[in-house]
Amino acid sequence: MKSRREFLHKALLSSLVISPFANQVKAIADTAKINNNNKKSAQVLSTWNHGMAANDKAWSILSTNGDALDAVEEGVKVTEIAKNVLSVGLNGIPDREGIVTLDASIMKGDGSCGSVAFVRQVKHPITLARLVMEKTPHVMLVGEGARQFAIQEGMPIEKEELSAGAEKAYQNWKKNAQYKPIINVENHDTIGMIGMDASGKLAGSCTTSGLGYKMHGRVGDSPIIGAGLFVDEEVGAATATGLGEEVIRICGSFLIVELMRQGRTPQEACEEAVKRAVSKCKDIDNTQIGFLALNKEGDFGAYAIRPGFNFARHHASEQAMIDSKSWFK
């Protein structure tokens, strides 16, 4: 009797293994695995409308199994030379002295990073920031020192003159010469880009000509690791845009990554960072900042103080401009 029961038990187990139900379970598991892998696959996110063209370039690298670091550098280089963008690169609006000064940073998920600030006459400050990361023992070079390093590395020094759009804006500003940046116009002074490649590596970049008509020598959040940009391969990446002083006060991008480390989703982390910024801001009516985040699982989120902030996303399943949610409705 015992041997017969054992025989029936083994027969039943065998039938389950080869049954249609068992095959269905395996199919469901395989689909979940595919979906999970797709979620973690290559993608790139960047701030504002000019992020679409930048993402196209970055995606041309990511979609051919290229490296995330190359993608985020080459992507924002498109914006640095765009003639219709007055908040990034040498075509940007100058400071109150009529001089264009540039800030940029770049970071890998392993903690490697480089930045430049208050640099003049360099077409691609993001490339200079990468050279600081890869060829010096430092993280940041500024001003004339950054310019001299660019010359040392063979980067051409551009003629110092305003673009047609910037010249027109500057001459108009000089009629009253008042420093009152317009929310979502002069305040979106950055392109920040964060991306993941097919191997799961993360990288980010951030580049700007800074706030229009700023004091000569002013540096915003964009070149400051932990403020305008932060990347940690174990957790995720974040970047910021808007009024840099308010981002610096809360170490915004670092804060978001640390919140994600504690278990927050990218969306929850961005919302908490904005909440923190609002609590510290002394002139909330004239302030806009926006955050963009991506975790190592491929989830993303964005949040701003007020409406008007948008971001571009490029993934195998989507190429779109997305309006961010905001603290004020």
Side-chain angles (χ1 to χ4, degrees):
M1 181 66 72
K2 181 179 179 182
S3 61
R4 186 172 184 274
R5 284 199 303 269
E6 290 175 347
F7 171 78
L8 290 173
H9 181 66
K10 290 179 180 178
L12 179 60
L13 289 176
S14 297
S15 68
L16 285 173
V17 170
I18 62 174
S19 71
F21 176 74
N23 288 335
Q24 185 180 8
V25 171
K26 183 177 185 301
I28 292 171
D30 287 345
T31 301
K33 183 177 180 181
I34 290 169
N35 288 338
N36 194 41
N37 287 341
N38 183 57
K39 186 178 179 183
K40 290 184 178 181
S41 62
Q43 64 175 302
V44 61
L45 305 161
S46 56
T47 58
W48 304 107
N49 292 328
H50 45 238
M52 288 294 283
N55 279 6
D56 285 344
K57 180 62 177 179
W59 185 250
S60 71
I61 296 170
L62 293 176
S63 62
T64 54
N65 294 320
D67 184 75
L69 185 68
D70 294 333
V72 299
E73 178 193 0
E74 294 300 322
V76 299
K77 282 172 68 175
V78 171
T79 315
E80 286 181 334
I81 60 172
K83 293 183 178 180
N84 62 332
V85 177
L86 297 182
S87 56
V88 177
L90 291 176
N91 290 318
I93 292 175
D95 61 23
R96 61 181 59 184
E97 305 298 326
I99 300 169
V100 177
T101 63
L102 308 177
D103 304 329
S105 65
I106 195 164
M107 189 171 189
K108 296 169 60 177
D110 66 359
S112 302
C113 53
S115 73
V116 292
F118 190 51
V119 64
R120 296 161 68 167
Q121 298 177 272
V122 175
K123 182 185 292 185
H124 289 299
I126 195 64
T127 297
L128 186 57
R130 182 170 179 174
L131 288 171
V132 171
M133 176 180 74
E134 295 179 339
K135 293 195 173 185
T136 81
H138 308 305
V139 169
M140 177 183 282
L141 292 179
V142 304
E144 183 59 21
R147 182 177 173 278
Q148 288 300 320
F149 179 62
I151 294 171
Q152 175 188 314
E153 291 300 315
M155 297 182 73
I157 298 301
E158 307 298 322
K159 184 177 180 181
E160 197 160 45
E161 61 182 3
L162 297 181
S163 66
E167 177 67 33
K168 182 179 179 180
Y170 181 57
Q171 293 303 326
N172 186 59
W173 174 81
K174 286 201 299 183
K175 293 176 182 177
N176 296 309
Q178 291 183 329
Y179 179 66
K180 291 184 178 180
I182 303 171
I183 290 172
N184 291 330
V185 179
E186 291 165 13
N187 264 358
H188 67 86
D189 56 336
T190 308
I191 179 168
M193 177 179 284
I194 48 180
M196 175 189 292
D197 62 30
S199 69
K201 290 182 180 178
L202 294 164
S205 59
C206 196
T207 181
T208 184
S209 56
L211 286 175
Y213 323 118
K214 62 195 175 186
M215 292 179 65
H216 189 62
R218 180 263 187 186
V219 173
D221 64 300
S222 299
I224 299 176
I225 301 301
L229 178 69
F230 197 72
V231 185
D232 187 327
E233 209 117 274
E234 295 180 356
V235 183
T239 189
T241 186
L243 187 59
E245 283 76 2
E246 300 305 322
V247 178
I248 292 170
R249 290 185 216 285
I250 63 165
C251 297
S253 293
F254 176 77
L255 172 61
I256 289 169
V257 172
E258 288 307 296
L259 288 168
M260 290 193 294
R261 191 190 305 277
Q262 295 168 19
R264 307 284 187 98
T265 67
Q267 185 63 39
E268 290 169 343
C270 287
E271 291 181 13
E272 178 61 30
V274 166
K275 179 181 179 182
R276 187 83 57 89
V278 168
S279 72
K280 302 291 183 182
C281 185
K282 295 179 174 60
D283 185 20
I284 195 65
D285 291 338
N286 294 301
T287 299
Q288 167 72 311
I289 60 173
F291 292 113
L292 185 57
L294 174 69
N295 69 15
K296 67 176 183 177
E297 302 301 326
D299 300 313
F300 63 94
Y303 204 62
I305 290 180
R306 57 189 71 252
F309 171 50
N310 58 11
F311 63 97
R313 181 181 188 239
H314 204 140
H315 182 272
S317 64
E318 178 182 55
Q319 182 181 7
M321 284 300 308
I322 304 171
D323 291 327
S324 168
K325 295 179 180 180
S326 59
W327 177 267
F328 293 111
K329 308 306 178 187

